[in-house]
Amino acid sequence: MTTVMVVDDHPMWREAVERDLAARGFEVVATAGDAGAAVRRAQAVRPDVVVMDLQLGAGSGVDATRDVVAALPTTRVLVLSASAEQADVLEAVKAGASGYLVKSASADELADAVTRTAAGDAVFSAGLAGLLLGEYRRLQAGPDDGAPRLTERETEVLKLVSRGLSAKAIAERLVLSHRTVENHVQNTLRKLQLHNRVELTRYAIEHGLADPGDA
Amino acid sequence: MTATGGPVVRHRDLLAPLWRVVVAFRLVAWVLAVLGWFREREDYPGMAAPLAVLGAMAVWTGVVTVLYSRGSGRRVRTTLLDLGVTVLLLAATVTTQPPGAFGEGAPIVTSIWVAGPALAMALVRGRAGGLAGALVVWAAVTLLRGYVGDREVFNLTLLVLIAVLLGHAATITRQAELALREAAAAQAAAAERERLGRAVHDGVLQVLVAVRRRARSTDELADLGRLAAEQEVALRGLLTTGAPVAVGTTDLGTALRLLATPDVEVSGPAEPVEVPAHTGTELVAAVREALANTAEHAPGARAWVSLEPADDEVVVVVRDDGPGIPEGRLPAAEQEGHHGVRSSICGRLADLGGSAVLHTGPGQGTEWELTVPREGPR
């Protein structure tokens, strides 16, 4: 059974999500109301999936995401966010979250997203595709030569995802296999996360926060 | 910030330091006038007249010091009165010299003290005020002397220059003060929104979420749940402040995200996509029209709004997964008098110098591709 931890600073929301997930056969092994408790409890219970709200009262969901992903390589983080925090969503995904779902998604959509996250797939909403396209565009305009680039095909696929097309519809339109489309989509996220990790390590070394030998 | 209210916007006169300079100039100029008279006292036929003028100057210096030190005295009326009295005192110096002496270069006891009102006028009326004050003083001195010598041209040109520069500085300071006050007001508004946002986030939103989550299970409450979900998304949108953008421009990302509902997903970059305010308004109106068409002709369909900025243009795609528009339906609708699509979408985009392309077909949904150039219409 897939184990899940729910992080949100509002008890009412936590209970609602917990109930929805339990009713669909998930085991909610822990809940947390702030970033600190989230990281501590995740290390204790090692859930398969952490459902993370970004607007936490104390501490940021982005930092909690980074810490959970760093401490627990097998735990995946699914960001559940209000539509109002686009920049935070992007940061959380770059920090290692596997996907993002808007809070207005239905209980069935949430259950489906948790299942796919547990299976190691990125949960790609149209909103996330739009954020990634924007981020690649920003990186391309920036001075960093080592920044990741999208191939033409990847850009095409991401654009169609951001317009709300399903992987199946994209495969039909571009005459590709369903699996190829999925791979393209996953690659765009992985490239960005990898780049982000490299950047963090470089920053840490440059600022004397880490020994180059550790990297 | 205090917990009980927004930040207090305190009114501070940024011109106050410049007024202190004007007052100090008056005092120093009076002392210089006294010293000047003392040094050249042999050039005056009598003592009584110049001392009387110096005494009157001292009294008036005291009066304007008091007037200009208070906010209520720093106004056009006061400076004009100052100018009048000063010119009168200048005229009174004819009693200090025998007739015709000024024409031969005899010293004027008021000296540079007469420049004071020009500086004060510069502070209340900017460059024009400073220039007017300086020219009146110039005219009065010229009238008294009956000629314009090198020294006069030099001194009075300097006076005009300083008065105009001071006026310029005063205008800039006043504009800066205005901008500062606007910024403080904007900050207060943002703080207030944040405060309201916290209250809504902790209260109303949570209840709406609970209603929606519980209502899903039972049929008779399903409508209530859907309404709660709509209000929840709308409230969240209203609480979004968005990134600050330049005056006269709109962040399309923030504007379009306000259109999100449980059935409409909006995607775009996290960074603001700035377009001229008019372009933003028209584009959002066109998107609204496309979404309204979907809601009307394909009830229950989901829709996506995708914002795709490029270097020289901005593309907004509005797509739905409804049944699509059968071929020939749009021209037929227009013949029946429905001009919604043509005027509201195509017309708006054409006015913006852009284009609207519709891809549709039975079973394919509808997909509007709205393109506007980034610079706006040329």
Side-chain angles (χ1 to χ4, degrees), chain A residues 88-167:
Chain A
D88 287 349
V89 170
L90 182 60
E91 284 310 308
V93 167
K94 280 161 70 181
S98 306
Y100 140 67
L101 203 63
V102 288
K103 270 195 164 176
S104 49
S106 70
D108 289 328
E109 285 173 307
L110 174 64
D112 180 50
V114 172
T115 306
R116 279 160 60 202
T117 306
D121 284 341
V123 174
F124 248 76
S125 61
L128 181 53
L131 290 176
L132 289 190
L133 279 172
E135 179 66 2
Y136 276 106
R137 215 181 113 71
R138 190 184 70 81
L139 287 173
Q140 197 163 5
D144 186 358
D145 290 333
R149 299 261 188 278
L150 287 180
T151 64
E152 248 172 70
R153 202 11 87 78
E154 284 167 347
T155 307
E156 211 175 357
V157 169
L158 263 193
K159 219 172 231 185
L160 292 177
V161 176
S162 80
R163 294 177 183 184
L165 273 81
S166 66

Side-chain angles (χ1 to χ4, degrees), chain A residues 10 12-13 19-20 55 82 84 86 103 105 107 109 125-127 130-131 134 137-138 159 162-165 173, chain B residues 201-202 206 209 212-214 236 240 257 265 267-271 302 304 306 308-311 317 319 367:
Chain A
H10 288 288
M12 216 181 253
W13 174 266
R19 200 171 37 238
D20 285 346
Q55 238 175 12
Q86 297 304 310
K103 270 195 164 176
E109 285 173 307
S125 61
L131 290 176
R137 215 181 113 71
R138 190 184 70 81
K159 219 172 231 185
S162 80
R163 294 177 183 184
L165 273 81
R173 201 184 268 207
Chain B
H201 182 247
D202 293 354
Q206 299 309 310
V209 165
R212 170 163 61 92
R213 288 268 159 193
R214 283 180 206 193
R236 284 195 202 282
T240 313
R257 282 190 180 103
E265 185 169 359
S267 68
E271 292 192 312
R302 295 199 60 191
W304 293 267
S306 157
E308 300 162 13
D311 292 334
V317 176
R319 207 183 70 84
E367 183 171 323

Side-chain angles (χ1 to χ4, degrees), chain A residues 175-188:
Chain A
V175 199
L176 294 170
S177 78
H178 183 270
R179 196 64 234 169
T180 311
V181 172
E182 289 283 0
N183 283 342
H184 280 313
V185 170
Q186 307 279 342
N187 272 343
T188 60

Side-chain angles (χ1 to χ4, degrees), chain B residues 52-295:
Chain B
V53 173
L54 284 172
M57 283 162 59
V59 170
W60 188 243
T61 302
V63 171
V64 295
T65 299
V66 173
L67 284 175
Y68 291 158
S69 298
R70 282 192 299 217
S72 56
R74 293 166 184 171
R75 48 180 70 205
V76 180
R77 263 195 313 213
T78 321
T79 59
L80 288 179
L81 180 70
D82 186 11
L83 184 66
V85 172
T86 302
V87 169
L88 279 180
L89 283 170
L90 187 63
T93 58
V94 294
T95 60
T96 63
Q97 299 284 3
F102 284 132
E104 286 151 20
I108 303 176
V109 74
T110 48
S111 174
I112 59 165
W113 183 83
V114 293
L119 304 186
M121 285 173 73
L123 290 193
V124 290
R125 271 285 177 265
R127 278 175 305 214
L131 183 65
L135 288 180
V136 169
V137 171
W138 186 332
V141 171
T142 307
L143 219 59
L144 193 66
R145 280 251 183 256
Y147 73 94
V148 180
D150 286 351
R151 220 181 111 195
E152 282 71 27
V153 169
F154 179 77
N155 285 343
L156 294 170
T157 307
L158 218 54
L159 169 61
V160 169
L161 193 69
I162 289 171
V164 169
L165 278 179
L166 196 65
H168 190 58
T171 306
I172 289 174
T173 308
R174 209 166 272 128
Q175 284 163 351
E177 193 179 359
L178 208 66
L180 206 64
R181 228 179 291 169
E182 272 172 20
Q187 199 186 5
E192 185 58 16
R193 179 139 56 162
E194 199 188 307
R195 192 184 67 80
L196 276 175
R198 270 198 304 275
V200 171
H201 182 247
D202 293 354
V204 182
L205 269 184
Q206 299 309 310
V207 175
L208 287 176
V209 165
V211 170
R212 170 163 61 92
R213 288 268 159 193
R214 283 180 206 193
R216 237 171 246 289
S217 46
T218 48
D219 277 342
E220 60 265 40
L221 286 180
D223 271 354
L224 198 60
R226 192 178 45 75
L227 290 174
E230 279 170 15
Q231 290 308 308
E232 182 201 339
V233 174
L235 259 183
R236 284 195 202 282
L238 280 178
L239 295 178
T240 313
T241 35
V245 293
V247 178
T249 68
T250 301
D251 171 20
L252 266 182
T254 305
L256 289 175
R257 282 190 180 103
L258 286 177
L259 301 178
T261 72
D263 291 326
V264 178
E265 185 169 359
V266 180
S267 68
E271 292 192 312
V273 178
E274 288 183 51
V275 293
H278 174 70
T279 306
T281 311
E282 291 297 295
L283 202 50
V284 170
V287 172
R288 262 182 211 285
E289 181 66 27
L291 290 174
N293 271 344
T294 296

